[in-house]
Amino acid sequence: CNMASGDKGAQCVILSQNKALIEEVSKCSLSVCTVSTEGELLAKAWSMCTEMLVIDGTGCSKRTLAERVKKLYDANGKLFICVYGEDEGRNPHIRLAVTDCGASMVTWLGKTVREAADQVYTSLQCPKNSAKYACPYCKKANLSEEGLWLHCPLYHLNEAKLRAVCPICRIVPEDGYIQAHIQKNHGGVRHEELAREAKADIAVYAFGLVVCQRSDGKILLVQERYSVGFWLPGGRLNPGEGLCSGAIREAKEEAGVDVKLTGVLKIEYLPSGSLRHGAYVRTRCIFLAELEDPEEEAKCVPDYESTGAVWVSLAEMRDGLRLRGSEPLEWAEYLSQGKPVHSLSVLNST
């Protein structure tokens, strides 16, 4: 193993000859070393010091990359596995294939590999006298509450929903899904804000979705948690938040980009329930948008909001790309046919 940075304890191992990538990742808080063969990388997966593996998949096929990731994940499912590739990281079919096999992150940007490595390092820091917990997914031990809060989406956002007892409060979540429970009830700088959102007594649920289209016709899609596939950036608005500002915020959180709303595609008003059993209204506004800065790169580092985002063509969606639902394909088809887009002036919202 060739050392690329000094000994800092926990180690990031890179299988690559890309000097720019190695140099960038070597700036992180983990100790960084490089290997030249898949066998060496597999051997390092067993090392007690190894916390993160980076595979340079440049020029590899989807099948080859998926097989490599699966071998590493089967060897040690407690590691953060990142797949890097200039073209591979932008390919939605490859993203799904490798995350299905255990990759935590897929990217085409060296700086985001470094950012992820720093987050891995931060998740491992446990103050001397603080309580220690084990991850309900991989059983990694000695994590602080903050560390576990950061660890879960970073390592496990792509894994299937898990029903488990919370290692922190020992409560079994009402819906049984441990990752959402940890997100909203423990640790994290946004804990109080998330708790307020979760407990808000709202009779009207408003959602904003964004169809962000590039000049080449591709649409920005978010890779959703639990490996359910790709979806439009968007989500529920916060109490007191406008439709436009909420949609812009959701696009930033889920896709990592600043968008400019350019029109309205659809407004939905869906009443449900009854007075006896809890009536409510679900409202959705689907916006058309473009990037504020056409050069801005989409999100790559996973968190509770998403695994990342990628630009997807209509042809790729038609080619069996896994989608959470049919709407991304429907809107891509709609826009390709030059159908009407309504002015933002139809909304009395900011």
Side-chain angles (χ1 to χ4, degrees), residues 7 61 68 85 104 129 133 152 157 166 189 203 206 215 239 283 298 318:
D7 184 10
S61 67
R68 285 183 179 177
S104 304
N129 297 319
Y133 306 99
C152 280
L157 196 71
C166 175
V189 295
S215 59
T283 300
R318 287 173 172 168

Side-chain angles (χ1 to χ4, degrees), residues 84-340:
Y84 169 88
E86 288 285 346
D87 297 322
E88 293 73 16
R90 302 175 193 270
N91 185 308
H93 291 286
I94 290 179
R95 290 183 67 92
L96 287 176
V98 297
T99 52
D100 281 351
C101 290
S104 304
M105 172 178 166
V106 189
T107 184
W108 59 94
L109 295 170
K111 67 177 183 179
T112 61
V113 182
R114 172 175 54 81
E115 291 168 9
D118 283 334
Q119 289 194 33
V120 168
Y121 177 84
T122 300
S123 73
L124 298 171
Q125 305 313 299
C126 189
K128 193 171 184 180
N129 297 319
S130 68
K132 297 178 177 61
Y133 306 99
C135 170
Y137 285 88
C138 66
K139 311 306 179 187
K140 181 184 285 293
N142 299 319
L143 297 171
S144 68
E145 180 175 342
E146 296 288 326
L148 181 62
W149 189 90
L150 184 58
H151 169 93
C152 280
L154 194 61
Y155 285 64
H156 304 297
L157 196 71
N158 300 304
E159 297 186 28
K161 291 181 178 180
L162 176 68
R163 296 178 180 272
V165 176
C166 175
I168 299 171
C169 64
R170 308 307 302 171
I171 288 176
V172 178
E174 287 186 11
D175 62 3
Y177 301 136
I178 192 63
Q179 185 145 192
H181 169 83
I182 292 174
Q183 174 193 6
K184 295 179 180 179
N185 294 280
H186 302 292
V189 295
R190 291 188 62 222
H191 166 57
E192 292 184 4
E193 177 186 342
L194 287 163
R196 285 196 299 272
E197 291 176 18
K199 296 175 182 177
D201 184 18
I202 305 172
V204 178
Y205 296 90
F207 296 81
L209 276 75
V210 177
V211 181
C212 185
Q213 189 173 42
R214 209 164 59 177
S215 59
D216 61 3
K218 289 188 175 183
I219 288 175
L220 186 63
L221 296 185
V222 169
Q223 189 174 356
E224 296 270 274
R225 67 170 76 184
Y226 305 133
S227 236
V228 297
F230 287 96
W231 187 244
L232 298 169
R236 197 176 95 177
L237 275 60
N238 294 330
E241 190 173 37
L243 285 169
C244 294
S245 57
I248 291 170
R249 173 187 56 77
E250 285 286 348
K252 183 67 172 180
E253 291 176 354
E254 295 194 349
V257 294
D258 293 306
V259 301
K260 176 184 177 182
L261 304 181
T262 58
V264 175
L265 293 168
K266 187 178 184 182
I267 300 173
E268 297 176 342
Y269 182 87
L270 304 168
S272 184
S274 65
L275 291 176
R276 174 176 290 183
H277 298 102
Y280 66 91
V281 171
R282 185 171 181 265
T283 300
R284 295 200 321 160
C285 186
I286 296 93
F287 293 94
L288 181 64
E290 61 188 25
L291 290 185
E292 287 278 10
D293 176 6
E295 300 301 318
E296 186 175 18
E297 296 283 5
K299 173 180 173 181
C300 292
V301 181
D303 59 20
Y304 280 109
E305 301 293 340
S306 71
T307 298
V310 67
W311 293 97
V312 182
S313 68
L314 175 57
E316 287 171 321
M317 285 187 245
R318 287 173 172 168
D319 191 31
L321 179 67
R322 188 192 312 153
L323 303 172
R324 197 184 90 182
S326 61
E327 273 190 280
L329 176 57
E330 290 170 3
W331 287 119
E333 297 273 14
Y334 183 94
L335 293 172
S336 73
Q337 296 166 19
K339 292 187 176 180

